[in-house]
Amino acid sequence: MNDAIEIGNPLDVLYTPAWAVRALIPHLPLTAARGLVIDAGAGSGVIAATLAAAGLRVLAVECRADEVERGRRDRAEVEWLGADYLSPDLILPPAVGVVMNPPYGGRHDTAAQFVRRSLDLGRPQGGFVAALLRLNWLAGGQVRHGRGDWLRSDMPAEILALDRRPSFATSGATDATDYAWMLWGSVPSSTSRFSLLRCRGSVSEEVTHVLRDRPCQALWPEVESEGASGPPG
């Protein structure tokens, strides 16, 4: 992703900050039998590399040949696949979940296409989808795309809001929008559970402990969040 961010471009590349990924990891519905996780629209591979550093096996799917070549050279701990994630001809290996910062695509509603594609791929296998999205994404897109009609019957089970705005540019600049990780489970839901993530401190050591030392992680853990207890509604 480049410094001059044009959200209307369906091929936007945005540099996802690693701290935002580390804040998410304790909340992923992983079990002792962890399998492959896919980073869809991986870009430079920050999400994939951060997940791999926490002990996960990750496949990064990216359509840009230069990013794939660079990733294979610089992020060898990640498996790379050069492909269009939205292509109906794309065949992917079985995975337990998808974690992504999808391209927005503006008028193309690309982020929703990425989410729905991920749900189609993962739900038959009981997988999850975690997407980093603007909080206002939930309430927009109805007039042009009918997004609200879809979301009313398939809301993210968890909305994990970041307590600071991430920068997606190498300059460190942020926009005027708040963001959240939105997690869909294996079963559609019409309601969501909202939590506020604590993102100000480094949680990298805690994440490594959670994933490598616990034999089985709870489906909806409470690590590093402020919100109601219990499973999502």
Side-chain angles (χ1 to χ4, degrees):
M1 305 179 179
N2 44 36
D3 291 350
I5 301 172
E6 297 180 6
I7 296 301
N9 184 346
L11 293 181
D12 284 333
V13 179
L14 304 178
Y15 294 105
T16 307
W19 62 259
V21 186
R22 290 194 295 265
L24 166 73
I25 292 175
H27 301 268
L28 295 177
L30 301 167
T31 66
R34 296 192 299 271
L36 180 70
V37 175
I38 293 173
D39 177 3
S44 63
V46 173
I47 290 177
T50 306
L51 295 174
L56 296 175
R57 180 183 165 221
V58 187
L59 172 65
V61 181
E62 170 58 42
C63 66
R64 297 173 184 80
D66 58 336
E67 294 287 1
V68 174
E69 180 180 0
R70 187 178 300 111
R72 287 173 175 162
R73 183 188 66 234
D74 299 338
R75 303 190 189 277
E77 71 279 17
V78 174
E79 301 173 47
W80 286 84
L81 175 63
D84 178 1
Y85 187 71
L86 297 181
S87 171
D89 299 323
L90 178 62
I91 299 176
L92 292 169
V96 298
V98 176
V99 180
M100 60 183 174
N101 179 1
Y104 279 80
R107 70 189 63 179
H108 304 283
D109 205 26
T110 312
Q113 292 184 56
F114 266 67
V115 171
R116 300 182 79 162
R117 167 71 162 157
S118 300
L119 292 172
D120 289 344
L121 290 171
R123 273 188 171 154
Q125 306 166 57
F128 67 88
V129 175
L132 183 60
L133 297 164
R134 296 170 167 180
L135 270 173
N136 61 9
W137 180 86
L138 288 169
Q142 172 60 28
V143 173
R144 178 173 289 175
H145 306 294
R147 190 190 307 152
D149 292 337
W150 160 52
L151 285 171
R152 286 185 182 92
S153 61
D154 202 350
M155 287 287 289
E158 290 260 20
I159 299 173
L160 305 171
L162 306 179
D163 69 353
R164 58 173 165 147
R165 290 174 178 166
S167 171
F168 299 114
T170 55
S171 64
T174 63
D175 58 25
T177 305
D178 295 302
Y179 288 81
W181 285 104
M182 302 188 189
L183 275 68
W184 283 262
S186 58
V187 179
S189 173
S190 60
T191 59
S192 299
R193 173 172 171 256
F194 183 91
S195 297
L196 181 63
L197 293 181
R198 302 180 193 271
C199 301
R200 301 192 185 285
S202 172
V203 296
S204 57
E205 292 182 4
E206 176 178 339
V207 165
T208 301
H209 170 74
V210 166
L211 290 179
R212 290 183 176 161
D213 298 338
R214 288 175 60 179
C216 184
Q217 189 177 355
L219 185 61
W220 300 107
E222 292 298 319
V223 181
E224 287 294 306
S225 69
E226 296 175 353
S229 61

mmCIF file of all heavy atoms in Angstrom, residues 137-177:
data_model
loop_
_atom_site.group_PDB
_atom_site.id
_atom_site.type_symbol
_atom_site.label_atom_id
_atom_site.label_comp_id
_atom_site.label_asym_id
_atom_site.label_seq_id
_atom_site.Cartn_x
_atom_site.Cartn_y
_atom_site.Cartn_z
ATOM 1 N N TRP A 137 -18.463 1.534 8.195
ATOM 2 C CA TRP A 137 -18.746 0.618 7.089
ATOM 3 C C TRP A 137 -20.038 -0.155 7.346
ATOM 4 O O TRP A 137 -20.773 -0.499 6.417
ATOM 5 C CB TRP A 137 -17.569 -0.340 6.932
ATOM 6 C CG TRP A 137 -17.694 -1.347 5.825
ATOM 7 C CD1 TRP A 137 -17.362 -1.175 4.515
ATOM 8 C CD2 TRP A 137 -18.153 -2.699 5.944
ATOM 9 N NE1 TRP A 137 -17.593 -2.340 3.795
ATOM 10 C CE2 TRP A 137 -18.070 -3.290 4.651
ATOM 11 C CE3 TRP A 137 -18.611 -3.476 7.006
ATOM 12 C CZ2 TRP A 137 -18.440 -4.602 4.406
ATOM 13 C CZ3 TRP A 137 -18.969 -4.791 6.764
ATOM 14 C CH2 TRP A 137 -18.883 -5.346 5.475
ATOM 15 N N LEU A 138 -20.334 -0.386 8.604
ATOM 16 C CA LEU A 138 -21.537 -1.154 8.954
ATOM 17 C C LEU A 138 -22.816 -0.431 8.557
ATOM 18 O O LEU A 138 -23.818 -1.070 8.241
ATOM 19 C CB LEU A 138 -21.562 -1.433 10.460
ATOM 20 C CG LEU A 138 -20.550 -2.454 10.980
ATOM 21 C CD1 LEU A 138 -20.508 -2.413 12.495
ATOM 22 C CD2 LEU A 138 -20.893 -3.852 10.484
ATOM 23 N N ALA A 139 -22.790 0.901 8.598
ATOM 24 C CA ALA A 139 -24.020 1.656 8.355
ATOM 25 C C ALA A 139 -24.098 2.240 6.955
ATOM 26 O O ALA A 139 -25.113 2.829 6.586
ATOM 27 C CB ALA A 139 -24.147 2.781 9.380
ATOM 28 N N GLY A 140 -23.043 2.099 6.152
ATOM 29 C CA GLY A 140 -23.046 2.671 4.815
ATOM 30 C C GLY A 140 -23.258 1.624 3.741
ATOM 31 O O GLY A 140 -23.378 0.434 3.995
ATOM 32 N N GLY A 141 -23.324 2.106 2.510
ATOM 33 C CA GLY A 141 -23.379 1.212 1.367
ATOM 34 C C GLY A 141 -24.728 0.639 1.022
ATOM 35 O O GLY A 141 -24.844 -0.206 0.130
ATOM 36 N N GLN A 142 -25.782 1.080 1.704
ATOM 37 C CA GLN A 142 -27.099 0.495 1.430
ATOM 38 C C GLN A 142 -27.675 0.977 0.097
ATOM 39 O O GLN A 142 -28.159 0.182 -0.710
ATOM 40 C CB GLN A 142 -28.071 0.823 2.565
ATOM 41 C CG GLN A 142 -29.516 0.434 2.308
ATOM 42 C CD GLN A 142 -29.699 -1.059 2.071
ATOM 43 O OE1 GLN A 142 -28.928 -1.871 2.562
ATOM 44 N NE2 GLN A 142 -30.713 -1.424 1.293
ATOM 45 N N VAL A 143 -27.600 2.269 -0.152
ATOM 46 C CA VAL A 143 -28.231 2.811 -1.353
ATOM 47 C C VAL A 143 -27.584 2.258 -2.611
ATOM 48 O O VAL A 143 -28.272 1.804 -3.541
ATOM 49 C CB VAL A 143 -28.153 4.356 -1.345
ATOM 50 C CG1 VAL A 143 -28.656 4.919 -2.661
ATOM 51 C CG2 VAL A 143 -28.963 4.918 -0.178
ATOM 52 N N ARG A 144 -26.269 2.270 -2.659
ATOM 53 C CA ARG A 144 -25.575 1.854 -3.879
ATOM 54 C C ARG A 144 -25.412 0.343 -3.981
ATOM 55 O O ARG A 144 -25.493 -0.224 -5.070
ATOM 56 C CB ARG A 144 -24.206 2.529 -3.942
ATOM 57 C CG ARG A 144 -23.375 2.122 -5.152
ATOM 58 C CD ARG A 144 -22.109 2.950 -5.268
ATOM 59 N NE ARG A 144 -22.404 4.330 -5.655
ATOM 60 C CZ ARG A 144 -21.492 5.299 -5.738
ATOM 61 N NH1 ARG A 144 -20.241 5.036 -5.430
ATOM 62 N NH2 ARG A 144 -21.834 6.516 -6.112
ATOM 63 N N HIS A 145 -25.175 -0.339 -2.839
ATOM 64 C CA HIS A 145 -24.809 -1.743 -2.886
ATOM 65 C C HIS A 145 -25.783 -2.690 -2.175
ATOM 66 O O HIS A 145 -25.648 -3.905 -2.296
ATOM 67 C CB HIS A 145 -23.421 -1.943 -2.267
ATOM 68 C CG HIS A 145 -22.365 -1.071 -2.863
ATOM 69 N ND1 HIS A 145 -21.944 -1.199 -4.172
ATOM 70 C CD2 HIS A 145 -21.650 -0.040 -2.331
ATOM 71 C CE1 HIS A 145 -21.005 -0.293 -4.415
ATOM 72 N NE2 HIS A 145 -20.815 0.427 -3.329
ATOM 73 N N GLY A 146 -26.737 -2.140 -1.414
ATOM 74 C CA GLY A 146 -27.625 -3.012 -0.652
ATOM 75 C C GLY A 146 -26.910 -3.736 0.475
ATOM 76 O O GLY A 146 -27.355 -4.791 0.924
ATOM 77 N N ARG A 147 -25.806 -3.160 0.956
ATOM 78 C CA ARG A 147 -25.014 -3.818 1.987
ATOM 79 C C ARG A 147 -25.788 -4.038 3.282
ATOM 80 O O ARG A 147 -25.649 -5.052 3.949
ATOM 81 C CB ARG A 147 -23.746 -3.016 2.268
ATOM 82 C CG ARG A 147 -22.722 -3.744 3.154
ATOM 83 C CD ARG A 147 -21.610 -2.805 3.582
ATOM 84 N NE ARG A 147 -21.004 -2.131 2.448
ATOM 85 C CZ ARG A 147 -20.432 -0.925 2.518
ATOM 86 N NH1 ARG A 147 -20.430 -0.257 3.659
ATOM 87 N NH2 ARG A 147 -19.892 -0.367 1.447
ATOM 88 N N GLY A 148 -26.629 -3.062 3.623
ATOM 89 C CA GLY A 148 -27.403 -3.185 4.851
ATOM 90 C C GLY A 148 -28.349 -4.372 4.832
ATOM 91 O O GLY A 148 -28.553 -5.033 5.854
ATOM 92 N N ASP A 149 -28.951 -4.651 3.680
ATOM 93 C CA ASP A 149 -29.855 -5.801 3.579
ATOM 94 C C ASP A 149 -29.119 -7.097 3.884
ATOM 95 O O ASP A 149 -29.657 -7.998 4.540
ATOM 96 C CB ASP A 149 -30.466 -5.871 2.172
ATOM 97 C CG ASP A 149 -31.424 -4.723 1.899
ATOM 98 O OD1 ASP A 149 -31.955 -4.145 2.874
ATOM 99 O OD2 ASP A 149 -31.630 -4.393 0.719
ATOM 100 N N TRP A 150 -27.878 -7.181 3.396
ATOM 101 C CA TRP A 150 -27.074 -8.374 3.692
ATOM 102 C C TRP A 150 -26.694 -8.427 5.166
ATOM 103 O O TRP A 150 -26.876 -9.461 5.829
ATOM 104 C CB TRP A 150 -25.818 -8.378 2.821
ATOM 105 C CG TRP A 150 -24.710 -9.241 3.345
ATOM 106 C CD1 TRP A 150 -24.796 -10.545 3.719
ATOM 107 C CD2 TRP A 150 -23.358 -8.830 3.602
ATOM 108 N NE1 TRP A 150 -23.572 -10.991 4.177
ATOM 109 C CE2 TRP A 150 -22.678 -9.962 4.110
ATOM 110 C CE3 TRP A 150 -22.662 -7.642 3.414
ATOM 111 C CZ2 TRP A 150 -21.323 -9.916 4.453
ATOM 112 C CZ3 TRP A 150 -21.321 -7.601 3.752
ATOM 113 C CH2 TRP A 150 -20.663 -8.734 4.257
ATOM 114 N N LEU A 151 -26.200 -7.296 5.713
ATOM 115 C CA LEU A 151 -25.699 -7.301 7.076
ATOM 116 C C LEU A 151 -26.798 -7.547 8.102
ATOM 117 O O LEU A 151 -26.530 -8.111 9.169
ATOM 118 C CB LEU A 151 -24.992 -5.974 7.381
ATOM 119 C CG LEU A 151 -23.606 -5.809 6.754
ATOM 120 C CD1 LEU A 151 -23.105 -4.381 6.948
ATOM 121 C CD2 LEU A 151 -22.620 -6.796 7.358
ATOM 122 N N ARG A 152 -28.009 -7.149 7.821
ATOM 123 C CA ARG A 152 -29.084 -7.381 8.791
ATOM 124 C C ARG A 152 -29.264 -8.860 9.100
ATOM 125 O O ARG A 152 -29.705 -9.222 10.192
ATOM 126 C CB ARG A 152 -30.394 -6.771 8.283
ATOM 127 C CG ARG A 152 -30.446 -5.260 8.380
ATOM 128 C CD ARG A 152 -31.804 -4.708 7.982
ATOM 129 N NE ARG A 152 -31.806 -3.249 8.036
ATOM 130 C CZ ARG A 152 -31.510 -2.462 7.000
ATOM 131 N NH1 ARG A 152 -31.212 -3.018 5.823
ATOM 132 N NH2 ARG A 152 -31.522 -1.150 7.127
ATOM 133 N N SER A 153 -28.923 -9.710 8.161
ATOM 134 C CA SER A 153 -29.066 -11.147 8.385
ATOM 135 C C SER A 153 -27.724 -11.844 8.602
ATOM 136 O O SER A 153 -27.683 -13.048 8.869
ATOM 137 C CB SER A 153 -29.774 -11.804 7.189
ATOM 138 O OG SER A 153 -29.021 -11.620 6.003
ATOM 139 N N ASP A 154 -26.627 -11.089 8.501
ATOM 140 C CA ASP A 154 -25.309 -11.700 8.650
ATOM 141 C C ASP A 154 -24.327 -10.685 9.222
ATOM 142 O O ASP A 154 -23.335 -10.324 8.598
ATOM 143 C CB ASP A 154 -24.808 -12.226 7.304
ATOM 144 C CG ASP A 154 -23.750 -13.304 7.460
ATOM 145 O OD1 ASP A 154 -23.270 -13.509 8.586
ATOM 146 O OD2 ASP A 154 -23.403 -13.942 6.445
ATOM 147 N N MET A 155 -24.613 -10.237 10.444
ATOM 148 C CA MET A 155 -23.733 -9.299 11.127
ATOM 149 C C MET A 155 -22.484 -10.011 11.627
ATOM 150 O O MET A 155 -22.508 -11.221 11.886
ATOM 151 C CB MET A 155 -24.464 -8.676 12.319
ATOM 152 C CG MET A 155 -25.528 -7.673 11.943
ATOM 153 S SD MET A 155 -24.805 -6.120 11.344
ATOM 154 C CE MET A 155 -24.112 -5.428 12.861
ATOM 155 N N PRO A 156 -21.365 -9.288 11.779
ATOM 156 C CA PRO A 156 -20.216 -9.896 12.449
ATOM 157 C C PRO A 156 -20.587 -10.262 13.880
ATOM 158 O O PRO A 156 -21.244 -9.485 14.579
ATOM 159 C CB PRO A 156 -19.141 -8.802 12.404
ATOM 160 C CG PRO A 156 -19.880 -7.537 12.124
ATOM 161 C CD PRO A 156 -21.095 -7.902 11.351
ATOM 162 N N ALA A 157 -20.204 -11.450 14.299
ATOM 163 C CA ALA A 157 -20.524 -11.878 15.664
ATOM 164 C C ALA A 157 -19.795 -11.028 16.689
ATOM 165 O O ALA A 157 -20.298 -10.784 17.788
ATOM 166 C CB ALA A 157 -20.163 -13.354 15.842
ATOM 167 N N GLU A 158 -18.588 -10.574 16.362
ATOM 168 C CA GLU A 158 -17.787 -9.727 17.242
ATOM 169 C C GLU A 158 -17.362 -8.473 16.487
ATOM 170 O O GLU A 158 -16.924 -8.556 15.327
ATOM 171 C CB GLU A 158 -16.513 -10.459 17.681
ATOM 172 C CG GLU A 158 -16.752 -11.601 18.631
ATOM 173 C CD GLU A 158 -16.474 -11.224 20.067
ATOM 174 O OE1 GLU A 158 -16.467 -10.010 20.369
ATOM 175 O OE2 GLU A 158 -16.264 -12.131 20.868
ATOM 176 N N ILE A 159 -17.481 -7.314 17.135
ATOM 177 C CA ILE A 159 -16.923 -6.063 16.643
ATOM 178 C C ILE A 159 -15.906 -5.609 17.679
ATOM 179 O O ILE A 159 -16.266 -5.266 18.809
ATOM 180 C CB ILE A 159 -18.011 -4.997 16.440
ATOM 181 C CG1 ILE A 159 -19.038 -5.480 15.410
ATOM 182 C CG2 ILE A 159 -17.387 -3.669 16.005
ATOM 183 C CD1 ILE A 159 -20.240 -4.568 15.278
ATOM 184 N N LEU A 160 -14.618 -5.657 17.324
ATOM 185 C CA LEU A 160 -13.530 -5.340 18.239
ATOM 186 C C LEU A 160 -12.914 -4.020 17.805
ATOM 187 O O LEU A 160 -12.060 -3.970 16.917
ATOM 188 C CB LEU A 160 -12.485 -6.458 18.223
ATOM 189 C CG LEU A 160 -13.011 -7.867 18.532
ATOM 190 C CD1 LEU A 160 -11.929 -8.906 18.270
ATOM 191 C CD2 LEU A 160 -13.504 -7.944 19.962
ATOM 192 N N ALA A 161 -13.359 -2.932 18.406
ATOM 193 C CA ALA A 161 -12.918 -1.598 18.002
ATOM 194 C C ALA A 161 -11.523 -1.307 18.534
ATOM 195 O O ALA A 161 -11.190 -1.640 19.677
ATOM 196 C CB ALA A 161 -13.902 -0.547 18.500
ATOM 197 N N LEU A 162 -10.688 -0.695 17.693
ATOM 198 C CA LEU A 162 -9.362 -0.253 18.120
ATOM 199 C C LEU A 162 -9.488 1.049 18.902
ATOM 200 O O LEU A 162 -10.230 1.938 18.502
ATOM 201 C CB LEU A 162 -8.459 -0.045 16.905
ATOM 202 C CG LEU A 162 -8.318 -1.226 15.939
ATOM 203 C CD1 LEU A 162 -7.396 -0.838 14.786
ATOM 204 C CD2 LEU A 162 -7.819 -2.461 16.647
ATOM 205 N N ASP A 163 -8.750 1.168 20.002
ATOM 206 C CA ASP A 163 -8.883 2.379 20.814
ATOM 207 C C ASP A 163 -7.958 3.503 20.355
ATOM 208 O O ASP A 163 -7.823 4.521 21.015
ATOM 209 C CB ASP A 163 -8.678 2.071 22.297
ATOM 210 C CG ASP A 163 -7.247 1.700 22.644
ATOM 211 O OD1 ASP A 163 -6.432 1.549 21.712
ATOM 212 O OD2 ASP A 163 -6.952 1.550 23.848
ATOM 213 N N ARG A 164 -7.294 3.315 19.246
ATOM 214 C CA ARG A 164 -6.570 4.402 18.589
ATOM 215 C C ARG A 164 -6.631 4.183 17.086
ATOM 216 O O ARG A 164 -6.825 3.056 16.614
ATOM 217 C CB ARG A 164 -5.122 4.490 19.052
ATOM 218 C CG ARG A 164 -4.300 3.248 18.842
ATOM 219 C CD ARG A 164 -2.850 3.513 19.188
ATOM 220 N NE ARG A 164 -2.072 2.323 19.353
ATOM 221 C CZ ARG A 164 -0.793 2.224 19.036
ATOM 222 N NH1 ARG A 164 -0.171 3.252 18.489
ATOM 223 N NH2 ARG A 164 -0.126 1.106 19.243
ATOM 224 N N ARG A 165 -6.496 5.264 16.361
ATOM 225 C CA ARG A 165 -6.621 5.175 14.903
ATOM 226 C C ARG A 165 -5.326 4.671 14.292
ATOM 227 O O ARG A 165 -4.261 5.213 14.554
ATOM 228 C CB ARG A 165 -6.993 6.538 14.323
ATOM 229 C CG ARG A 165 -8.412 6.949 14.672
ATOM 230 C CD ARG A 165 -8.719 8.359 14.223
ATOM 231 N NE ARG A 165 -10.104 8.707 14.521
ATOM 232 C CZ ARG A 165 -10.598 9.933 14.490
ATOM 233 N NH1 ARG A 165 -9.813 10.941 14.149
ATOM 234 N NH2 ARG A 165 -11.861 10.151 14.786
ATOM 235 N N PRO A 166 -5.415 3.665 13.465
ATOM 236 C CA PRO A 166 -4.195 3.155 12.823
ATOM 237 C C PRO A 166 -3.773 4.036 11.660
ATOM 238 O O PRO A 166 -4.598 4.683 11.021
ATOM 239 C CB PRO A 166 -4.632 1.771 12.322
ATOM 240 C CG PRO A 166 -6.106 1.915 12.073
ATOM 241 C CD PRO A 166 -6.608 2.879 13.119
ATOM 242 N N SER A 167 -2.483 4.043 11.397
ATOM 243 C CA SER A 167 -1.968 4.684 10.200
ATOM 244 C C SER A 167 -1.710 3.608 9.159
ATOM 245 O O SER A 167 -1.079 2.587 9.447
ATOM 246 C CB SER A 167 -0.670 5.436 10.491
ATOM 247 O OG SER A 167 -0.074 5.866 9.285
ATOM 248 N N PHE A 168 -2.189 3.821 7.942
ATOM 249 C CA PHE A 168 -1.978 2.874 6.862
ATOM 250 C C PHE A 168 -0.932 3.390 5.866
ATOM 251 O O PHE A 168 -0.782 2.827 4.791
ATOM 252 C CB PHE A 168 -3.290 2.608 6.134
ATOM 253 C CG PHE A 168 -4.350 2.015 7.031
ATOM 254 C CD1 PHE A 168 -5.502 2.727 7.321
ATOM 255 C CD2 PHE A 168 -4.194 0.762 7.570
ATOM 256 C CE1 PHE A 168 -6.483 2.185 8.144
ATOM 257 C CE2 PHE A 168 -5.162 0.205 8.391
ATOM 258 C CZ PHE A 168 -6.309 0.921 8.691
ATOM 259 N N ALA A 169 -0.239 4.452 6.241
ATOM 260 C CA ALA A 169 0.774 5.050 5.376
ATOM 261 C C ALA A 169 2.122 5.041 6.078
ATOM 262 O O ALA A 169 2.188 5.116 7.309
ATOM 263 C CB ALA A 169 0.382 6.487 5.013
ATOM 264 N N THR A 170 3.201 4.933 5.323
ATOM 265 C CA THR A 170 4.535 4.910 5.912
ATOM 266 C C THR A 170 4.883 6.227 6.595
ATOM 267 O O THR A 170 5.776 6.274 7.430
ATOM 268 C CB THR A 170 5.582 4.599 4.831
ATOM 269 O OG1 THR A 170 5.460 5.538 3.758
ATOM 270 C CG2 THR A 170 5.387 3.191 4.282
ATOM 271 N N SER A 171 4.151 7.293 6.273
ATOM 272 C CA SER A 171 4.390 8.584 6.915
ATOM 273 C C SER A 171 3.876 8.630 8.347
ATOM 274 O O SER A 171 4.218 9.518 9.108
ATOM 275 C CB SER A 171 3.707 9.695 6.105
ATOM 276 O OG SER A 171 2.299 9.521 6.121
ATOM 277 N N GLY A 172 3.020 7.680 8.716
ATOM 278 C CA GLY A 172 2.427 7.664 10.045
ATOM 279 C C GLY A 172 1.152 8.462 10.161
ATOM 280 O O GLY A 172 0.543 8.523 11.232
ATOM 281 N N ALA A 173 0.706 9.088 9.075
ATOM 282 C CA ALA A 173 -0.517 9.894 9.103
ATOM 283 C C ALA A 173 -1.747 9.000 9.234
ATOM 284 O O ALA A 173 -1.777 7.868 8.746
ATOM 285 C CB ALA A 173 -0.618 10.719 7.838
ATOM 286 N N THR A 174 -2.761 9.500 9.941
ATOM 287 C CA THR A 174 -4.019 8.772 10.092
ATOM 288 C C THR A 174 -5.146 9.566 9.449
ATOM 289 O O THR A 174 -5.031 10.774 9.233
ATOM 290 C CB THR A 174 -4.363 8.535 11.571
ATOM 291 O OG1 THR A 174 -4.560 9.803 12.219
ATOM 292 C CG2 THR A 174 -3.238 7.790 12.278
ATOM 293 N N ASP A 175 -6.242 8.883 9.149
ATOM 294 C CA ASP A 175 -7.408 9.599 8.646
ATOM 295 C C ASP A 175 -8.347 9.889 9.811
ATOM 296 O O ASP A 175 -8.012 9.639 10.969
ATOM 297 C CB ASP A 175 -8.102 8.814 7.526
ATOM 298 C CG ASP A 175 -8.543 7.428 7.962
ATOM 299 O OD1 ASP A 175 -8.767 7.215 9.175
ATOM 300 O OD2 ASP A 175 -8.684 6.539 7.093
ATOM 301 N N ALA A 176 -9.533 10.414 9.521
ATOM 302 C CA ALA A 176 -10.467 10.826 10.572
ATOM 303 C C ALA A 176 -11.496 9.748 10.866
ATOM 304 O O ALA A 176 -12.608 10.058 11.280
ATOM 305 C CB ALA A 176 -11.161 12.123 10.164
ATOM 306 N N THR A 177 -11.113 8.497 10.679
ATOM 307 C CA THR A 177 -12.056 7.388 10.814
ATOM 308 C C THR A 177 -11.573 6.408 11.871
ATOM 309 O O THR A 177 -10.373 6.175 12.010
ATOM 310 C CB THR A 177 -12.206 6.649 9.466
ATOM 311 O OG1 THR A 177 -12.572 7.585 8.467
ATOM 312 C CG2 THR A 177 -13.272 5.578 9.558
#
